[in-house]
């Protein structure tokens, strides 16, 4: 059997990143998962939940709950979607901007600590991870499509 540890290695990477970011954000008072979503909102606003789901790689149901958590913390707000009256868009609030500004220096410390220990340029890793995430997204779509086809054939 060939050695196929890519998923295991990326899961380990995810755990290290989560631990570092949670440690660094303890003084800011926001969980890493919400900070990542808040960053996506800032970068993409005004943004629909479906676009946020794709950007964050988060299932829609989880995303809805996390958007509500951000709304409850007054970090984002929902606004009407002019292109679709049945949906909404998400925008960052001034409080959300301040939260990201407080997070920036502590996350920069984490980046610098990591970058000092990388044997190759950080940008090389970023490129490879972007490619990996794109491939994982397509693999998930293909696997979900295969499962739907099997269910249709069995039904």
């Amino acid at each position: 059997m060939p050695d196929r540890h890519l998923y295991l290695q990326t899961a380990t990477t995810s755990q290290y990143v989560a631990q570092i970011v949670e440690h660094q954000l303890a003084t800011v008072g926001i969980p890493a998962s919400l900070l990542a979503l808040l960053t996506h909102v800032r970068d993409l606003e005004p943004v629909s939940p479906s676009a946020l789901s794709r950007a964050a790689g988060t299932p829609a149901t989880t995303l809805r709950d996390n958007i509500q958590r951000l709304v409850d913390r007054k970090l984002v707000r929902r606004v009407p979607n002019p292109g679709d009256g049945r949906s909404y868009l998400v925008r960052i609030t001034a409080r959300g901007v301040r939260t990201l500004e407080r997070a920036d220096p502590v996350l920069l410390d984490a980046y610098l600590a990591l970058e000092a220990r990388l044997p190759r340029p950080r940008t090389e890793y970023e490129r490879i991870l972007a490619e990996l995430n794109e491939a994982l997204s397509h693999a998930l779509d293909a696997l979900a499509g295969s499962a739907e086809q099997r269910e249709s054939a069995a039904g």
Side-chain angles (χ1 to χ4, degrees):
M1 180 102 169
D3 180 7
R4 292 193 169 129
H5 283 92
L6 184 58
Y7 288 130
L8 182 60
Q9 290 171 329
T10 55
T12 301
T13 300
S14 176
Q15 290 298 313
Y16 279 128
V17 169
Q19 289 177 59
I20 289 169
V21 172
E22 289 293 343
H23 176 268
Q24 293 301 103
L25 290 178
T27 60
V28 177
I30 184 170
S33 60
L34 292 183
L35 185 79
L37 183 58
L38 184 60
T39 302
H40 285 300
V41 171
R42 180 201 60 202
D43 293 348
L44 301 171
E45 75 170 344
V47 61
S48 69
S50 57
L52 274 175
S53 178
R54 284 189 301 277
T58 304
T61 51
T62 303
L63 183 76
R64 278 193 302 271
D65 292 343
N66 285 337
I67 288 173
Q68 186 58 50
R69 287 179 182 97
L70 291 174
V71 168
D72 292 345
R73 291 171 180 248
K74 298 180 177 25
L75 301 174
V76 303
R77 62 188 170 92
R78 291 183 185 95
V79 298
N81 184 342
D84 181 357
R86 298 167 295 150
S87 68
Y88 62 91
L89 300 174
V90 182
R91 296 195 70 105
I92 194 167
T93 64
R95 184 177 185 164
V97 170
R98 287 191 305 273
T99 298
L100 290 176
E101 287 170 350
R102 283 195 327 274
D104 279 346
V106 297
L107 292 177
L108 178 59
D109 290 346
Y111 267 101
L112 294 175
L114 172 62
E115 208 165 351
R117 290 157 180 83
L118 292 174
R120 292 189 295 262
R122 174 188 42 82
T123 54
E124 191 173 328
Y125 294 95
E126 289 171 344
R127 181 186 53 76
I128 290 168
L129 287 171
E131 291 172 1
L132 177 61
N133 287 338
E134 182 76 13
L136 287 166
S137 174
H138 290 303
L140 180 60
D141 290 345
L143 291 167
S146 296
E148 289 173 10
Q149 287 175 348
R150 283 193 302 275
E151 288 173 11
S152 293

